[in-house]
Amino acid sequence: MKPTIRTLSLHELEVLIDWAAAEGWNPGLEDAAMFQAADPAGFIGAFVGNEMVAAISAVAYGGEFGFVGLYICRPDKRGKGYGKAVWDAGIGRLAGRTIGLDGVAEQQANYRRKGFKPAYETIRYSGRAAGPAVRADGLRPVTTQLVPDIIAYDAYCFPAPRRAFLQRWLQPPHHGLAAISSRGTTGYAVARPCRSGFKIGPLFAESNDTALQLLHGLAGACEGGDLHIDVPAANTGFVEALEAAGFAPTFKTTRMYKGPAPELGLQRLFSVTTLELG
């Protein structure tokens, strides 16, 4: 049966997040509402009757950049073309933009055939921020007053403006920290409570030392819970510091782009925001 393709309601997005949890993706406790703020029309489902059978996120960040993720077909409905239907709808929605995704190893050949090219590998590290205390001068909890400066700093680190998303992402129950110096904002990081532990993302900073300060500061805010952080593998200094602190690699993906890759270096990127929205 040919499915109906349409935008998801908030409740239906919550169902998709539950599917992600069942797949072992460990989503955040408030991901549905937080994600929807990025692009309310960016979550698409395939329906047979009133039953959702597949879904995808295809979030547009302005007219130049978009990101696909949360691509799931219900296990009992696979092999019927429903996944392809939402994929085509999502890619079609983002037509004309550079499109990013984070692909697991077993799907990368498929994405290459669809025109995506690898940019860099990301490794998820999990653990707790053990080891000696890290100097934390200049760290401040994110407040409403700091949000405009953080949004401005984010523009140096992410391929497109995402004001509406950040205004929601920086709110409780997420924990946000900013690094402030005489030069202004020199980094920020967010920890979000998940089904298990906390995910750190984004973590953007001007230096490895600042990134470590933010990480250890968030570890304190998370009261010793397990932390999960998706780090570009090329950031070897930060990777070595994580391993020295007792973090272990648990999962790998590759950032891939269809269209011209964003001209942002990795020097400020210590953790991607999410594997679902970029």
Side-chain angles (χ1 to χ4, degrees):
M1 180 181 296
K2 185 176 180 179
T4 299
I5 306 296
R6 63 169 174 80
T7 301
L8 301 185
S9 68
L10 178 59
H11 171 70
E12 290 160 348
L13 179 51
E14 289 169 345
V15 172
L16 176 56
I17 296 297
D18 286 339
W19 289 3
E23 294 287 331
W25 296 0
N26 190 26
L29 300 182
E30 300 293 332
D31 274 2
M34 298 279 183
F35 284 4
Q36 194 182 55
D39 180 2
F43 301 88
I44 301 167
F47 293 80
V48 175
N50 293 321
E51 190 177 18
M52 188 165 73
V53 295
I56 195 170
S57 61
V59 170
Y61 295 102
E64 302 295 327
F65 183 68
F67 204 88
V68 294
L70 282 173
Y71 179 34
I72 305 175
C73 185
R74 222 172 69 186
D76 62 321
K77 299 295 183 180
R78 291 173 183 171
K80 301 178 184 295
Y82 301 141
K84 182 179 185 302
V86 292
W87 172 269
D88 290 346
I91 295 299
R93 182 173 190 269
L94 299 178
R97 299 170 174 83
T98 289
I99 304 173
L101 59 77
D102 287 306
V104 295
E106 56 267 28
Q107 290 296 328
Q108 287 169 28
N110 182 41
Y111 292 138
R112 285 175 186 266
R113 288 191 293 270
K114 297 178 185 297
F116 287 82
K117 297 179 180 180
Y120 59 87
E121 184 180 63
T122 298
I123 305 173
R124 175 167 296 168
Y125 278 86
S126 298
R128 302 187 179 189
V134 175
R135 180 179 56 83
D137 299 339
L139 295 191
R140 293 173 57 185
V142 172
T143 61
T144 302
Q145 291 75 18
L146 288 179
V147 168
D149 288 341
I150 291 173
I151 290 173
Y153 185 81
D154 188 80
Y156 294 108
C157 309
F158 192 77
R162 49 178 182 169
R163 177 182 298 272
F165 170 72
L166 289 175
Q167 286 174 331
R168 192 66 187 265
W169 196 250
L170 294 167
Q171 292 182 14
H174 293 185
H175 303 289
L177 280 180
I180 309 295
S181 76
S182 58
R183 296 181 288 115
T185 300
T186 59
Y188 84 97
V190 177
R192 81 190 202 264
C194 293
R195 305 289 176 98
S196 174
F198 296 79
K199 287 183 180 177
I200 307 295
L203 174 46
F204 298 150
E206 294 297 300
S207 69
N208 194 66
D209 286 347
T210 300
L212 289 170
Q213 290 175 37
L214 288 163
L215 176 64
H216 280 263
L218 284 178
C222 296
E223 298 180 343
D226 287 336
L227 306 180
H228 312 283
I229 181 168
D230 295 304
V231 184
N235 199 329
T236 55
F238 192 62
V239 165
E240 290 170 0
L242 287 174
E243 292 177 347
F247 285 75
T250 58
F251 184 66
K252 291 183 180 181
T253 57
T254 295
R255 174 62 58 88
M256 307 180 78
Y257 294 109
K258 183 177 183 180
E263 295 181 0
L264 290 172
L266 298 180
Q267 67 272 16
R268 293 186 178 95
L269 176 56
F270 293 87
S271 176
V272 301
T273 306
T274 80
L275 299 183
E276 297 86 4
L277 269 66

